């Protein structure tokens, strides 16, 4: 990063820079208050830049979570509300860095290609309400709402099947004493969901998250402190991590980890980043993250056993088909009778297991809406709507590109919608509508 230019004192003429042969010198730096060229937004000069490759998102006038952003095309105007535009960037307390002086020309045989210009940093347009002020800490830093409890309840049948699988294998192979020790150890292993070193190891090795660099931490932590201060949560309760990705995304992991992509960290305004982080904080405070991971862990042995049984059934059918069609038919009949007998004999287990994927997907959709609600209650409704609009625009662009290439797109069926863990964009925007109408 180039050193800033020395200030000029009153009455002292500016020394003329030496002239170098070759390419012209770099343009002079722009100081706060000077006009800075940038992408134009219809009817809103000086607004923060939109995400690369996406049209402007709609504003919802009447909200004061953060200064107004680019306008939604065709968005309804609510009576009695106003929207104010943020000051242009630079000029909001974060001046643009001065460009580096032009290097001396190299001989023709030693000339090397110059790297392209780096993208402009995302504007810091967040309304910091608690910077340097007193923060009121909530009595409960985390909890379990109806969505988390429902997710755990749906996973109980799968956990019972997993317990039967683990205990049967352990007792059959290791004997009574060691078998029960292994079974009890598996039951106690769920506590690792709340063990921070185990969570960090899971995030690093399974989800490919990493610790933020010094520059990333300087960008991320002030936004995170503002979000947690509004929620009354102590910022150090959670661990911030980064994923190298060109997609706008974030994730709440287990009990203490919040991950964000490099795109979200570096390419979107601070107010939109705060909305994304507030959504993930809602997953944590509602218990969605740890409940989901806990249910997944305790149902894992049962799912593995089911996958093994399906694999053995395929092998048996393939081997029987080598001999004759009658033998393959007999194997099919035997497997079908076994499945029906198990379904009828233990319907109180099998029926919930069949319904579990649909119920878990429903709980996932409810959890997303609940996390959106928390972000809106913290004052990020309009900014979260802009992020959802970005997702919708990208999805529409991908569909248009596929159609342009001659691909036939099939609308998701009923089962696909029932198995979706995220509500569609229109549902999320509709749920935010009451917060967008309020003048906060």
């Amino acid at each position: 990063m180039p050193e800033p230019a020395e200030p000029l004192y009153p009455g002292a003429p500016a020394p003329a820079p030496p002239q170098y042969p070759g390419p012209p010198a770099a343009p002079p730096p722009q100081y706060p208050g000077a006009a800075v060229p940038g992408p134009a937004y219809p009817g809103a000069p000086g607004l923060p830049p939109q995400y690369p490759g996406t049209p402007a998102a709609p504003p919802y006038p009447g909200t004061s979570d953060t200064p107004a952003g680019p306008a939604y095309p065709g968005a309804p105007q609510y009576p009695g509300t106003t929207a104010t535009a943020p000051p242009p960037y630079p000029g909001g307390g974060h001046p643009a860095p001065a460009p580096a002086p032009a290097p001396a020309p190299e001989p023709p045989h030693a000339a090397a290609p110059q790297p392209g210009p780096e993208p402009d940093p995302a504007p810091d347009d967040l309304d910091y309400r608690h910077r340097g002020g007193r923060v009121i800490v909530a009595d409960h830093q985390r909890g379990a709402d109806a969505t988390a409890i429902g997710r755990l309840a749906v996973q109980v049948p799968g956990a019972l099947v997993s317990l039967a699988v683990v205990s049967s294998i352990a007792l059959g192979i290791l004997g009574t004493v060691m078998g029960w020790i292994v079974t009890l150890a598996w039951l106690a292993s769920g506590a690792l969901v709340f063990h921070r070193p185990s969570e960090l190891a899971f995030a690093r090795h399974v989800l490919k998250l990493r610790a933020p660099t010094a520059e990333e931490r300087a960008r991320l932590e002030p936004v995170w402190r503002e979000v947690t201060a509004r929620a009354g949560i102590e910022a150090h309760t959670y661990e911030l991590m980064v994923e190298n990705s060109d997609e706008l995304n974030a994730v709440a992991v287990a009990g203490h980890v919040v991950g964000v992509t490099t795109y979200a960290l570096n390419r979107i305004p601070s107010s939109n980043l705060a909305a994304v982080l507030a959504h993930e904080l809602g997953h944590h405070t509602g218990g969605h993250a740890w409940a989901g991971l806990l249910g997944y862990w305790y149902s894992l042995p049962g799912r593995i056993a089911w996958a093994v049984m399906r694999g053995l059934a395929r092998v048996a059918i393939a081997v029987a088909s080598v001999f004759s069609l009658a033998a393959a038919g007999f194997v099919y009949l035997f497997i079908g009778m076994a499945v029906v007998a198990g379904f009828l004999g233990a319907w109180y287990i099998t029926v919930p297991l069949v319904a579990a994927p649909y119920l878990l997907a429903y709980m996932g959709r409810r959890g997303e809406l609940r996390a959106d609600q928390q972000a809106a209650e913290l004052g990020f409704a309009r900014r979260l709507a802009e992020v959802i609009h970005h997702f919708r625009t990208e999805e529409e662009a991908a569909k248009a590109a596929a159609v342009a290439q001659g691909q036939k797109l099939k609308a998701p069926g009923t089962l696909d919608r029932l198995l979706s863990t995220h509500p569609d964009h229109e549902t999320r925007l509709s749920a935010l509508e009451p917060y967008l109408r309020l003048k906060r």
Side-chain angles (χ1 to χ4, degrees):
M1 180 175 179
E3 294 292 332
E6 294 183 358
L8 294 178
Y9 297 98
Q19 302 296 325
Y20 299 100
Q30 299 293 329
Y31 294 97
V36 180
Y41 299 92
L47 292 176
Q50 204 61 29
Y51 307 139
T54 61
Y60 287 88
T63 57
S64 61
D65 48 344
T66 49
Y72 257 170
Q77 300 295 325
Y78 305 116
T81 60
T82 57
T84 56
Y89 183 83
H94 297 268
E106 298 285 343
H109 64 276
Q114 298 296 324
E118 296 183 358
D120 295 333
D124 187 8
D125 60 345
L126 179 59
D127 176 19
Y128 292 97
R129 304 176 183 175
H130 298 83
R131 177 176 285 176
R134 181 182 178 186
V135 176
I136 300 177
V137 179
D139 294 334
H140 300 285
Q141 296 290 293
R142 64 178 71 242
D145 59 17
T147 300
I149 296 173
R151 185 186 292 269
L152 289 175
V154 170
Q155 296 278 25
V156 168
L160 293 176
V161 172
S162 296
L163 176 61
V165 170
V166 171
S167 60
S168 300
I169 295 176
L171 293 172
I173 297 177
L174 303 175
T176 304
V177 177
M178 288 300 300
W180 281 115
I181 292 176
V182 170
T183 302
L184 293 175
W186 174 75
L187 289 173
S189 63
L192 295 176
V193 170
F194 305 99
H195 183 236
R196 186 168 296 214
S198 301
E199 291 180 57
L200 295 177
F202 174 79
R204 283 194 301 267
H205 301 295
V206 178
L207 301 180
K208 306 303 180 184
L209 303 179
R210 59 172 176 80
T213 64
E215 293 182 357
E216 291 170 338
R217 191 173 293 278
R219 157 79 166 155
L220 183 58
E221 285 188 345
V223 180
W224 176 246
R225 284 196 298 268
E226 175 63 25
V227 171
T228 54
R230 293 192 188 187
I233 304 297
E234 298 183 52
H236 65 270
T237 302
Y238 300 100
E239 192 78 23
L240 298 174
M241 302 189 76
V242 176
E243 176 189 1
N244 294 325
S245 173
D246 292 331
E247 297 182 358
L248 172 56
N249 198 14
V251 62
V253 181
H256 302 93
V257 177
V258 174
V260 63
T261 61
T262 49
Y263 180 100
L265 183 60
N266 300 319
R267 304 294 296 278
I268 68 175
S270 296
S271 56
N272 292 47
L273 175 61
V276 172
L277 293 175
H279 174 91
E280 301 306 328
L281 180 63
H283 282 310
H284 272 306
T285 57
H288 310 159
W290 66 261
L293 184 56
L294 196 65
Y296 174 85
W297 173 250
Y298 279 126
S299 63
L300 183 60
R303 289 199 305 273
I304 293 176
W306 175 245
V308 170
M309 291 173 60
R310 292 175 58 186
L312 292 176
R314 291 193 185 98
V315 171
I317 293 172
V319 171
S321 301
V322 174
F323 294 97
S324 66
L325 292 178
F330 177 78
V331 173
Y332 269 114
L333 180 61
F334 176 79
I335 293 174
M337 292 177 62
V339 171
V340 171
F343 189 86
L344 296 177
W347 61 268
Y348 47 86
I349 294 292
T350 54
V351 170
L353 287 177
V354 172
Y358 302 95
L359 294 175
L360 287 174
Y362 171 76
M363 294 298 173
R365 294 193 296 272
R366 297 304 304 173
E368 293 299 322
L369 294 177
R370 177 64 187 89
D372 285 352
Q373 179 184 352
Q374 163 140 333
E377 290 174 349
L378 297 182
F380 299 108
R382 183 167 56 82
R383 291 306 192 179
L384 184 59
E386 292 175 6
V387 174
I388 297 172
H389 173 75
H390 169 74
F391 290 140
R392 182 175 62 179
T393 304
E394 281 195 335
E395 184 179 289
E396 292 173 351
K399 290 180 180 179
V403 171
Q405 295 175 358
Q407 300 180 14
K408 294 183 178 179
L409 299 180
K410 183 180 179 181
T414 303
L415 289 181
D416 294 330
R417 292 194 297 270
L418 290 176
L419 289 172
S420 175
T421 58
H422 282 65
D424 59 78
H425 306 311
E426 297 302 330
T427 300
R428 295 181 68 181
L429 289 173
S430 297
L432 290 174
E433 197 74 18
Y435 299 95
L436 299 170
R437 290 180 180 273
L438 292 176
K439 187 174 183 180
R440 301 175 63 87

